[in-house]
Amino acid sequence: MERRTIEIMDTTLRDGEQTSGVSFSASEKLTMAKLLLDELKVDRIEIASARVSAGEFQSVKQITQWAQSMGYEDRVEVLTFVDKGLSVAWMQEAGAKVQNLLTKGSLNHLTHQLKRTPEQHFSEIAEVIQLAEKAGISTNVYLEDWSNGMRNSPDYVFQFLDFLTTQPLKRILLPDTLGVLTPSETFEFIDRIIRRYPNSHFDFHGHNDYDLSVANVMEALKAGCHGLHLTVNGMGERAGNAPLASVVAVVNDFLPQLKINVQENSLFKVSKLVSAFTGFGIPANKPIVGDNVFTQTAGIHADGDNKNNLYFNNLLPERFGRKRKYALGKTSGKANIQKNLQELGLTLNEEELKKVTQRIIELGDKKERVTKDDLPYIISDVLDSENYQQKVVIKSYVLTHSKGLKPSTTVAVEIDGEVYEENAQGDGQFDAFMNALRKVYRTKKWQLPTLTDYAVRIPPGSNSDALCETIITWQNKEKEFTTRGLDSDQTVSAIKATEKMLNIS
């Protein structure tokens, strides 16, 4: 069966830029345009609205110059207005070749916003189309508020479409401007239109106000629409537009009779770039591109993946340039840890694995996220802890640090079953802790080893909540030795390293 190709028009640079607080620079728009057309392979891009600003004019000029050098000028589109040719003149100066003319797709909008009759509106539209044709600019037409038009004034919509099909147009663009359609309505409305105008090209432009945009896109395609308007990360006004990544996956997996040209393995890269340009983070649970969507957290799922990939679906991360991850935390279990060990090329025996699992569960109770990069530190800490018998226990401590006052520590230490408590100040919290500890040891007429080196490290790429490993080198009369402590708090990790020293010195 020959598959029908669906045109994908990305409108991140125009409609996506209507996200509150988002504004792309000219250089960012050019970078994105190149990535969308050259790497992601969308069929068309809508890059700007005409007559908005001098900066917008420059960005359109730069993109169209590049597009012409690549033979892409027919794939770059600009939103224009019924304004007696002012938008057309603006486009001519900028070098753009395709206009998406914004018109009124509902009688309500036409009557109350433009205060025109249908005949007046159609006459003005025809004038703009003729001016564009003379200027070598091709025209697509948006029917703004078309979805409400189909609900409340269908006779007007069909009167309008009867007129448009007589005009020299490339495409008719059907937007659910306010995101109000249900999937059944989407199918019904587009099916009626396709049947009535079988020789015209229709695009569907969905918004996500009810979180139905992807479902509506599916129904639009089933009804026979020829193109889709999408945005990276679902950016757009209010709740945004139909998201590119989700729609691509849905079409590829559930509509085998259709074909799209978008390269799946570039979706994640483009998503991250748009997030960086806009400053809008991608929700961790956003399908396809969110940080968590290919992460198994429960240990039972990792175990199932080891047993014939029981928890895999068709959304394999490799399709989108990503990798499956196995979260480490209090719910992960041994199977998750083994998956991460395999990636790191590490092996543990059953007893060691049990101890590492228990430590990760303890850390997960205190710290929300334990990463794969934390794992070598945890293993080092657990295996190091096996090398001594605990006779000295740091039972409790209070660390204080106030501006203008020297840090102080109160510490309670249990030695051979007896608890000693002391308080001291220092140049920092750990120094105060060590001074209090020296007071305890002086009561026992014992001497602490000398601290000769102190190093702190966190896994590469970590955040401020990362696990922290403190490595301290000590010198006593007989030898030099090193202890390690691990905690999400740097001072606490140093105290843990010190407690190990107290038991082996």
Side-chain angles (χ1 to χ4, degrees):
M1 180 181 69
E2 187 175 349
R3 295 189 295 167
R4 182 164 64 94
T5 299
I6 301 299
E7 282 189 354
I8 300 298
M9 191 269 267
D10 183 282
T11 183
T12 305
L13 299 179
R14 199 279 298 174
D15 213 2
E17 195 178 32
Q18 292 181 198
T19 306
S20 178
V22 169
S23 179
F24 295 110
S25 68
S27 61
E28 286 172 341
K29 281 201 171 190
L30 179 59
T31 299
M32 282 297 305
K34 291 177 178 179
L35 201 58
L36 289 166
L37 289 173
D38 265 348
E39 183 160 342
L40 199 56
K41 305 294 185 187
V42 301
D43 298 287
R44 299 145 47 205
I45 56 174
E46 189 176 46
I47 61 171
S49 298
R51 301 174 53 210
V52 167
S53 68
E56 197 79 327
F57 176 81
Q58 288 304 319
S59 70
V60 171
K61 196 166 187 176
Q62 287 180 23
I63 292 171
T64 54
Q65 284 174 350
W66 168 78
Q68 286 163 11
S69 73
M70 300 295 293
Y72 293 163
E73 55 264 40
D74 291 338
R75 298 169 63 185
V76 176
E77 302 170 8
V78 174
L79 183 75
T80 58
F81 308 98
V82 182
D83 54 11
K84 299 186 181 300
L86 294 176
S87 292
V88 171
W90 189 94
M91 284 189 64
Q92 274 187 289
E93 194 175 351
K97 294 296 182 183
V98 183
Q99 70 165 339
N100 292 339
L101 183 62
L102 189 68
T103 68
K104 294 304 179 184
S106 72
L107 194 58
N108 187 42
H109 270 222
L110 178 66
T111 303
H112 293 97
Q113 191 169 40
L114 292 189
K115 296 180 170 50
R116 294 282 199 276
T117 65
E119 291 74 20
Q120 288 172 322
H121 192 38
F122 301 164
S123 174
E124 291 170 345
I125 291 167
E127 180 186 350
V128 172
I129 293 172
Q130 288 170 12
L131 288 171
E133 196 171 27
K134 288 178 182 176
I137 294 170
S138 61
T139 300
N140 306 317
V141 174
Y142 269 117
L143 275 64
E144 188 179 23
D145 200 39
W146 160 82
S147 46
N148 276 317
M150 288 297 289
R151 276 182 178 175
N152 305 315
S153 52
D155 290 344
Y156 165 73
V157 174
F158 285 111
Q159 180 188 3
F160 193 2
L161 291 173
D162 286 345
F163 157 71
L164 288 177
T165 53
T166 68
Q167 297 297 304
L169 301 177
K170 271 195 167 184
R171 306 172 186 90
I172 299 171
L173 317 177
L174 306 176
D176 181 16
T177 305
L178 300 178
V180 297
L181 288 181
T182 64
S184 59
E185 284 179 311
T186 304
F187 180 88
E188 177 195 344
F189 294 162
I190 293 181
D191 182 60
R192 285 174 64 188
I193 288 171
I194 297 290
R195 290 178 186 276
R196 183 159 169 170
Y197 309 101
N199 298 319
S200 297
H201 177 114
F202 292 95
D203 283 1
F204 177 66
H205 178 114
H207 279 261
N208 203 36
D209 294 70
Y210 284 94
D211 210 16
L212 290 172
S213 63
V214 176
N216 288 341
V217 162
M218 287 186 74
E219 294 305 307
L221 292 172
K222 289 176 184 176
C225 84
H226 309 92
L228 299 172
H229 298 186
L230 309 168
T231 61
V232 177
N233 298 338
M235 291 177 59
E237 207 159 15
R238 305 182 313 277
N241 293 41
L244 175 67
S246 297
V247 169
V248 168
V250 162
V251 173
N252 286 339
D253 288 2
F254 299 127
L255 299 170
Q257 73 277 21
L258 304 177
K259 177 186 174 185
I260 54 177
N261 295 320
V262 176
Q263 299 297 301
E264 283 188 335
N265 59 7
S266 295
L267 286 167
F268 184 58
K269 179 196 298 184
V270 174
S271 171
K272 285 289 191 184
L273 183 66
V274 169
S275 177
F277 282 173
T278 61
F280 275 68
I282 304 166
N285 63 342
K286 189 169 185 62
I288 312 303
V289 295
D291 281 346
N292 289 352
V293 297
F294 297 116
T295 300
Q296 303 281 37
T297 299
I300 190 172
H301 293 165
D303 181 62
D305 289 350
N306 281 330
K307 298 169 180 174
N308 201 36
N309 296 331
L310 298 181
Y311 291 93
F312 280 22
N313 60 21
N314 287 336
L315 292 173
L316 297 175
E318 291 77 13
R319 285 172 54 181
F320 310 104
R322 305 191 61 184
K323 292 180 69 176
R324 192 172 302 279
K325 298 177 183 177
Y326 294 88
L328 297 168
K330 60 184 177 181
T331 64
S332 57
K334 290 192 293 185
N336 275 33
I337 295 165
Q338 284 177 316
K339 285 282 189 182
N340 283 277
L341 288 171
Q342 287 169 11
E343 279 196 45
L344 293 168
L346 302 173
T347 57
L348 295 177
N349 62 38
E350 192 63 29
E351 187 61 28
E352 290 168 341
L353 183 60
K354 184 177 178 181
K355 290 177 180 178
V356 169
T357 302
Q358 186 57 42
R359 181 62 61 86
I360 288 172
I361 291 170
E362 291 169 5
L363 289 166
D365 276 332
K366 293 166 51 180
K367 177 179 180 286
E368 186 175 327
R369 192 169 63 105
V370 180
T371 71
K372 179 183 72 177
D373 293 321
D374 293 326
L375 199 51
Y377 296 178
I378 294 168
I379 293 169
S380 173
D381 183 56
V382 169
L383 299 186
D384 186 45
S385 298
E386 295 178 345
N387 295 330
Y388 67 90
Q389 184 178 359
Q390 195 162 22
K391 296 177 182 178
V392 181
V393 180
I394 308 294
K395 296 289 287 182
S396 184
Y397 48 83
V398 177
L399 308 170
T400 63
H401 193 287
S402 302
K403 186 176 180 181
L405 299 173
K406 293 195 78 172
S408 65
T409 300
T410 298
V411 64
V413 184
E414 182 181 310
I415 303 173
D416 295 328
E418 188 173 351
V419 177
Y420 300 83
E421 186 175 315
E422 289 291 350
N423 175 272
Q425 293 181 314
D427 290 332
Q429 289 180 322
F430 183 64
D431 185 49
F433 170 81
M434 290 299 296
N435 290 338
L437 196 57
R438 287 189 186 94
K439 285 187 178 182
V440 171
Y441 268 50
R442 276 200 292 269
T443 66
K444 299 284 290 181
K445 295 186 169 42
W446 294 351
Q447 187 174 353
L448 285 172
T450 303
L451 188 156
T452 61
D453 191 51
Y454 181 105
V456 177
R457 60 180 184 171
I458 63 173
S462 294
N463 298 314
S464 58
D465 66 346
L467 283 178
C468 173
E469 184 181 50
T470 302
I471 306 157
I472 305 178
T473 304
W474 311 91
Q475 178 73 54
N476 61 17
K477 290 179 181 177
E478 292 83 26
K479 61 179 180 178
E480 185 177 76
F481 61 99
T482 299
T483 58
R484 293 177 171 84
L486 189 71
D487 196 89
S488 55
D489 183 284
Q490 180 181 326
T491 305
V492 175
S493 69
I495 290 172
K496 287 182 176 181
T498 304
E499 185 179 48
K500 290 181 183 179
M501 174 274 291
L502 297 175
N503 283 283
I504 61 177
S505 60

